[in-house]
């Protein structure tokens, strides 16, 4: 029966069982070594034994197996780049990584979730892998955060909704701040027959904390609704500095160099003109919208992420277009960030649901009015000590 099982079938089926990601380290001939593994497990409590299963053909394992001791570093969800760094080819991978020695001398990464220091107990044959059993001599938790997981051929994290739910305090603060300019927003919405909303950034979502609905067209915004800030959406919250921009782009799993360059181009355009514009697109259908919600929540599976990434790529042309005054546009939304301090809730003003195709001149006029109201709110915030 085993002859009918292909390697692809084996990986596909077993890939639906999530595993943690760990870095096995040791010192060999005075030099630190590290190897990423997705097969690490506890074996026994008494005596305390653990095991990892390296591939026999691994060059790094060939060196590690000469050591009498090793240390298991459990990687955190925010250490994906560290994982890729150690999985790539290169010399002296510890040169750019902060670490300190375990009791046995093996490296402990400073940012690892936890570490387990072991002496080599035994090695068993496991087909194309070895089963390396270690006796635990010391261990500890350094950073009690979410671990990095490998699932369906992709990396991610365990992120239950309760851990990423919108902060109640953020909602309250955002709603309170929006009242400062509500009169100006109501005036704009009533005059132009559009919907205006105030969004507060919370995690990977923009949360609607205030809505003014004056459009004659059916809208889809209401207080408490969450807008996933997954590229190409949510750009307005991420152009204030390079770190925020990079973090936003990296929400897309395995983002290609071409896509990264395009998102960077869009970010520069938004940064230069001070507002974001999106047009309606058949590509942003209900399925894509719901999948983007789950991606921002951290509940989307890696296989679904890959499908979503492909679909989102088809909507990119409808974001940040050049606006010509005498051309009509099927506008989805104009969004403007509110200037804020480092300890204040990030806010944005969003105009949406115009009654029909809109002239470029009107779109530009609306953008400038939103910028004016956002600047007004930002000035008031600078004079108040609100978080």
């Amino acid at each position: 029966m085993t002859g009918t099982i292909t390697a692809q079938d084996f990986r596909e089926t077993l890939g639906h069982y999530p595993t943690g990601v760990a870095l096995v380290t040791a010192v060999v001939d005075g030099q630190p070594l590290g190897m990423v593994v997705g097969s690490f497990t506890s074996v026994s409590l008494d005596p305390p034994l653990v095991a990892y299963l390296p591939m026999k053909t691994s060059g790094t394992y060939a060196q590690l197996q000469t050591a009498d001791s090793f240390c298991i570093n459990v990687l955190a969800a925010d250490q994906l780049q560290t994982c890729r760094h150690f999985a790539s080819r290169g010399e002296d991978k510890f040169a750019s990584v902060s670490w300190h020695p375990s009791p046995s001398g093996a490296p402990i990464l400073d940012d690892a979730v936890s570490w387990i220091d072991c002496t080599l107990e035994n090695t068993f044959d496991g087909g194309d892998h070895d089963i390396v059993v270690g006796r635990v001599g010391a261990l500890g938790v350094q950073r009690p955060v979410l671990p990095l997981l490998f699932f369906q051929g992709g990396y991610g994290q365990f992120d239950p909704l309760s851990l990423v739910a919108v902060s109640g305090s953020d909602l309250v603060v955002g709603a309170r701040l929006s009242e400062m300019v509500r009169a100006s927003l109501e005036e704009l919405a009533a005059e132009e027959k559009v919907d205006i909303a105030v969004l507060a950034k919370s995690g990977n979502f923009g949360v609607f904390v205030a809505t003014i609905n004056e459009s004659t067209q059916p809208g889809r915004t209401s207080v408490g609704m969450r807008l996933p800030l997954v590229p190409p959406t949510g750009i307005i919250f991420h152009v204030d500095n390079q770190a925020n921009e990079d973090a936003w782009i990296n929400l897309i799993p395995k983002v290609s160099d071409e896509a990264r360059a395009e998102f960077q181009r869009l970010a520069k355009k938004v940064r230069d003109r001070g507002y974001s514009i999106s047009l309606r697109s058949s590509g942003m259908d209900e399925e894509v919208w719901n999948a983007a919600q789950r991606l921002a929540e951290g509940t989307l599976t890696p296989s679904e992420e890959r499908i979503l990434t492909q679909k989102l790529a088809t909507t990119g042309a409808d974001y940040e277009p050049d606006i010509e005054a005498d051309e009509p546009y099927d506008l989805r939304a104009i969004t403007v960030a509110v200037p804020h301090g480092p300890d204040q809730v990030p806010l944005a003003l969003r105009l949406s649901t115009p009654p029909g195709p809109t002239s470029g001149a009107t779109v530009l006029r609306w953008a400038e009015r939103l910028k004016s109201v956002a600047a007004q709110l930002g000035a008031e915030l600078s004079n108040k000590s609100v978080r």
Side-chain angles (χ1 to χ4, degrees), residues 145-147 157-167 202-203 226 297:
V145 298
L146 295 174
Q157 69 181 47
F158 172 72
D159 207 356
L161 185 59
S162 61
L163 295 181
V164 295
V166 175
S167 164
S202 184
R226 300 189 303 172
E297 292 169 355

Side-chain angles (χ1 to χ4, degrees), residues 40 60 156 243 252 274 333 346 349 375:
F40 163 71
T60 303
I252 293 293
L349 308 182

Side-chain angles (χ1 to χ4, degrees), residues 190-245:
E191 287 180 4
E192 306 295 347
K193 302 301 180 186
V194 294
D195 293 341
I196 305 286
V198 180
L199 290 88
K201 184 179 185 298
S202 184
N204 295 331
F205 288 96
V207 185
F208 289 80
V209 296
T211 58
I212 302 165
N213 299 315
E214 293 288 350
S215 175
T216 58
Q217 300 298 313
R220 60 184 307 168
T221 62
S222 59
V223 172
M225 177 182 170
R226 300 189 303 172
L227 179 70
L229 306 181
V230 177
T233 66
I235 192 170
I236 198 68
F237 285 112
H238 300 93
V239 297
D240 53 339
N241 61 65
Q242 191 62 52
N244 276 347
E245 182 180 319

